[in-house]
Amino acid sequence: MIGFDIGEIASDTYYDDEQEGLEEQIIIRFSHVTAENTPKGRTASKFAELLEDKTNGKVKVHIFPNAILYNDTNEWEAVQNGSVEMIAPATAKISRHYPIWQILDLPFAFPNYQAVEEAYEGKIGETLLDRLEHTNVKGLDLWYNGFKQITTQESAIRTADDFSRLHFRTMPGPVIQEQFNQLNASTSTLSFNKTYHNLEVNFVDGQENTLSNINTKKFYEHQQYLTISNHGYLGYGVLMNRDFWNGLPSKIQESIHEAIHEATEWGRRHAIEINDQHAREIRLNQSLEIYTLSAEERAQWRQALRPVYIKAEEAVGSDLMQEIKTIRENYAY
Ligand code: SIN
């Protein structure tokens, strides 16, 4: 017989830890837009686990993935007004509000993962997080995802000229718009969780994203070509409602800082491997024709996108631009 044992339900309820000491528990609602099995989803779970451990269960983090609570067009307002306590938007989405953040989305800013880490964990990361000081969000850290690739439906993208007259779904952010402008492509800024539908109905020809996002959101079902271009890096600002933060006992604030930094470190070590796993699934699935840019093609894309830097420098400032140049020069890039 299939059914419930009423005694079992009653005792489960009795021992549910959320029923005990409820008034003493601190709940952090953490809303984000990606699937759970992505660098952001997994790093958020790691953070929740670490924080609950460090506070002996006093703080609980309730994670709402896949935009089930808020999507990328309203999560910023939600964290500002305290409808949720935490979000972790892509850096490009923060650059909509704080243009200095666009530095991290510059095309070909980073030759490799090590260079991304140097920017995230060095002066650039610190400056960007500090810039949020006078707002109702507190910048806690930067989290990793991976390099972006391009998918399209009708024709493969190899040279910078192949973008011409195509229509792309993009994240918001001035640098992203300028990148596609320079490639003579048109864009629609659409929320992440509306992308699949807009690919399905051919409203857009293509999009750019990490392999974990492409795979978990099944973009391959309506895209035929994948170009491995590694032309930009997608990472996140981890943000908390500042009033909520200010109201926390200092011991809890300390635990949050520790848990965030340990989770960041975990994400840094695992993001590449998580994206690699999704790359393997994409290859096995075989529904996408995959092309990897040659060094010459990369150099040609880079050249075509140089003007993006000139516009960005006005918003970012020469000091931070110099920082990124120095990081690149260390890799002779
Ligand atoms: C995310 O990784 O949070 C979403 C990225 C996108 O909007 O494309």
Side-chain angles (χ1 to χ4, degrees):
M1 191 182 98
I2 299 171
F4 294 107
D5 177 328
I6 197 77
E8 195 183 318
I9 293 175
S11 78
D12 276 357
T13 306
Y14 182 76
Y15 286 110
D16 181 348
D17 65 346
E18 291 192 19
Q19 306 295 311
E20 293 174 9
L22 201 55
E23 68 287 351
E24 280 167 22
Q25 220 160 42
I26 296 170
I27 307 290
I28 295 179
R29 292 162 296 179
F30 187 164
S31 172
H32 72 85
V33 302
T34 65
E36 284 162 289
N37 188 22
T38 56
K40 178 158 63 178
R42 303 261 317 263
T43 310
S45 300
K46 192 73 196 168
F47 165 67
E49 181 191 310
L50 285 163
L51 185 58
E52 286 173 27
D53 266 14
K54 284 177 191 298
T55 59
N56 294 320
K58 186 172 171 63
V59 181
K60 283 235 169 259
V61 183
H62 291 179
I63 302 172
F64 300 91
N66 287 312
I68 52 178
L69 211 50
Y70 292 100
N71 65 46
D72 35 18
T73 59
N74 56 12
E75 64 182 355
W76 177 262
E77 285 69 31
V79 79
Q80 290 275 343
N81 67 27
S83 300
V84 290
E85 285 70 37
M86 275 181 85
I87 60 171
T91 54
K93 293 170 191 169
I94 304 177
S95 74
R96 206 162 42 122
H97 308 283
Y98 294 93
I100 191 174
W101 276 71
Q102 60 190 289
I103 188 164
L104 295 177
D105 288 274
L106 282 165
F108 298 102
F110 305 111
N112 52 37
Y113 295 106
Q114 182 71 30
V116 176
E117 280 170 43
E118 284 172 31
Y120 275 34
E121 284 163 32
K123 181 171 166 199
I124 295 178
E126 194 186 326
T127 308
L128 299 182
L129 292 169
D130 283 356
R131 195 53 65 91
L132 303 171
E133 268 316 300
H134 304 291
T135 69
N136 201 28
V137 289
K138 180 173 172 57
L140 292 172
D141 217 340
L142 290 159
W143 279 358
Y144 298 90
N145 183 343
F147 282 99
K148 290 183 290 184
Q149 324 299 347
I150 299 279
T151 65
T152 43
Q153 175 61 3
E154 293 301 331
S155 51
I157 301 277
R158 293 184 177 201
T159 71
D161 297 335
D162 294 336
F163 283 89
S164 186
R165 290 191 294 278
L166 293 181
H167 188 54
F168 284 85
R169 174 271 166 177
T170 61
M171 296 189 277
V175 150
I176 310 269
Q177 301 314 310
E178 194 50 33
Q179 171 188 293
F180 284 97
N181 287 347
Q182 289 301 326
L183 296 167
N184 297 313
S186 58
T187 57
S188 284
T189 301
L190 299 167
S191 72
F192 181 54
N193 286 278
K194 292 219 166 97
T195 306
Y196 178 91
H197 176 67
N198 282 281
L199 294 171
E200 183 179 26
V201 299
N202 292 319
F203 176 66
V204 289
D205 300 304
Q207 61 85 47
E208 55 168 10
N209 233 306
T210 61
L211 293 168
S212 54
N213 280 348
I214 291 168
N215 194 38
T216 52
K217 290 295 168 187
K218 296 188 173 18
F219 294 159
Y220 54 79
E221 289 186 350
H222 302 293
Q223 297 279 268
Q224 217 183 319
Y225 300 98
L226 167 65
T227 302
I228 303 294
S229 52
N230 294 320
H231 63 281
Y233 191 84
L234 198 165
Y236 307 104
V238 189
L239 311 178
M240 182 172 271
N241 175 281
R242 192 177 288 280
D243 291 337
F244 171 77
W245 170 264
N246 289 341
L248 292 172
S250 59
K251 208 146 171 41
I252 299 286
Q253 290 182 344
E254 227 172 86
S255 301
I256 291 177
H257 268 312
E258 280 176 23
I260 278 286
H261 293 315
E262 286 171 35
T264 302
E265 176 59 16
W266 185 94
R268 186 187 61 70
R269 282 190 281 108
H270 290 84
I272 301 173
E273 158 197 326
I274 296 168
N275 274 297
D276 282 353
Q277 174 62 33
H278 287 288
R280 282 194 288 280
E281 284 175 26
I282 288 172
R283 283 180 206 281
L284 276 176
N285 177 312
Q286 288 187 348
S287 65
L288 281 168
E289 201 173 294
I290 305 173
Y291 180 73
T292 303
L293 289 190
S294 67
E296 292 72 32
E297 286 159 345
R298 260 179 81 78
Q300 190 236 357
W301 284 38
R302 226 183 133 189
Q303 186 59 32
L305 290 168
R306 275 199 204 284
V308 178
Y309 281 68
I310 298 163
K311 272 214 172 158
E313 183 152 357
E314 289 165 26
V316 166
S318 51
D319 277 7
L320 232 46
M321 281 305 247
Q322 186 50 49
E323 276 294 318
I324 213 141
K325 278 186 202 143
T326 307
I327 292 176
R328 273 207 307 270
E329 277 160 17
N330 289 342
Y331 294 93
Y333 186 64

